[in-house]
Amino acid sequence: MVLYPMDINQQSVAQIVKRDKLLKVTSTSPSRRLERRERLRGEILAAAGKMFADRGYEAVTLREIAKEIGYTHAVIYQHFPDKSHILAELSRETIGLMIQNFDAIAAEHPASKERLFATSRGLIQFCVAHPQQFRNVFFGPESRNGIRAGQYINDIGAPLFQRFVQLFFDVAKDEGLPNKNDIVVAHTWWFSIFGLATLMVIQGVVPDLPDQTLVVEQTIATLWAGVQAVPRLPKSAITKRSGRSSASKH
């Protein structure tokens, strides 16, 4: 049996192990850094989202968000330049989920009328199931990076609303509704469904009120009856408005 000097063998093995560890760390560290960065970004968004919804956007500071996740506020600046960018990211994420929800439901219903009914239900169900996200997007501050909340929400929500309007026009064509190109009717349906969702988020479950599912179904049935019978403003209402306009000119 051949015996090798222990100091030479130990030195060689130590060098090999050190080299292998160095190669391993060097080859995996970029992906690990990216993973850690994404994980921290997610923690910031999750903490901020809950705090915004619970206490209101204006009442929450970056220092408080950082404290919630166990970091200094300087760490947040590595991911977001200010608080408004956190809210913007939360808003985009929520609208993206609403679009995914809409598309998934729409794909399950070949008939356009059933698609309209199902996506209307789905919008309400999504809002009620995600009150925190809903509040952050739609109950946020009036000014968002210098843009009024209404315009801001309209801009980021445009892809979702455009899907709905196109679906409504498809229904009007397939079902033979008169004045099928009147976008005011589509807006009316949208606002009614969205308004009901908002009210349910604000109220939560109220034991003394009728079952929410029945309220949703009654609302959809009433809207459908309405667009069939009165697809746009009655002529009497248009005449009154025109009369006031004419009078104001004199």
Side-chain angles (χ1 to χ4, degrees), residues 130-144:
H130 302 85
Q132 175 182 305
Q133 291 89 331
F134 182 86
R135 288 175 181 274
N136 286 333
V137 178
F138 301 103
F139 296 0
E142 179 58 30
S143 178
R144 310 189 186 193

Side-chain angles (χ1 to χ4, degrees), residues 40 43-45 47-48 51 60-77 86:
L40 179 54
E43 290 177 6
I44 293 170
L45 289 171
M51 295 171 76
V60 178
T61 67
L62 290 180
R63 289 183 182 275
E64 291 173 325
I65 297 171
K67 183 179 179 181
E68 181 69 19
I69 61 176
Y71 288 89
T72 65
H73 71 284
V75 172
I76 295 183
Y77 288 116
I86 297 178

Side-chain angles (χ1 to χ4, degrees), residues 27-49:
S27 62
T28 59
S29 57
S31 60
R32 287 183 178 178
R33 284 198 298 270
L34 179 60
E35 182 182 344
R36 286 196 297 269
R37 180 177 178 81
E38 290 303 314
R39 184 171 61 250
L40 179 54
R41 182 182 178 87
E43 290 177 6
I44 293 170
L45 289 171

Side-chain angles (χ1 to χ4, degrees), residues 183-247:
I183 196 171
V184 175
V185 185
H187 272 276
T188 301
W189 187 295
W190 171 267
F191 288 150
S192 299
I193 293 298
F194 196 82
L196 179 57
T198 302
L199 184 60
M200 287 184 171
V201 170
I202 295 173
Q203 281 190 313
V205 177
V206 182
D208 296 335
L209 295 183
D211 181 82
Q212 288 187 344
T213 301
L214 295 178
V215 173
V216 171
E217 293 305 315
Q218 184 64 61
T219 299
I220 292 174
T222 302
L223 286 170
W224 180 246
V227 298
Q228 290 178 297
V230 187
R232 62 167 65 203
L233 285 174
K235 290 183 179 180
S236 58
I238 297 175
T239 301
K240 290 179 181 179
R241 292 177 65 192
S242 301
R244 285 197 299 269
S245 299
S246 298

Side-chain angles (χ1 to χ4, degrees), residues 102 112 115-116 119-120 154 157-173 180-191:
F102 183 97
S112 60
R115 211 156 54 240
L116 175 65
T119 53
S120 296
N154 184 70
L160 176 61
F161 183 66
Q162 288 166 0
R163 281 168 164 78
F164 175 82
V165 170
Q166 183 57 56
L167 171 55
F168 191 89
F169 287 168
D170 290 343
V171 173
K173 179 180 179 181
K180 58 181 179 295
N181 290 325
D182 193 346
I183 196 171
V184 175
V185 185
H187 272 276
T188 301
W189 187 295
W190 171 267
F191 288 150

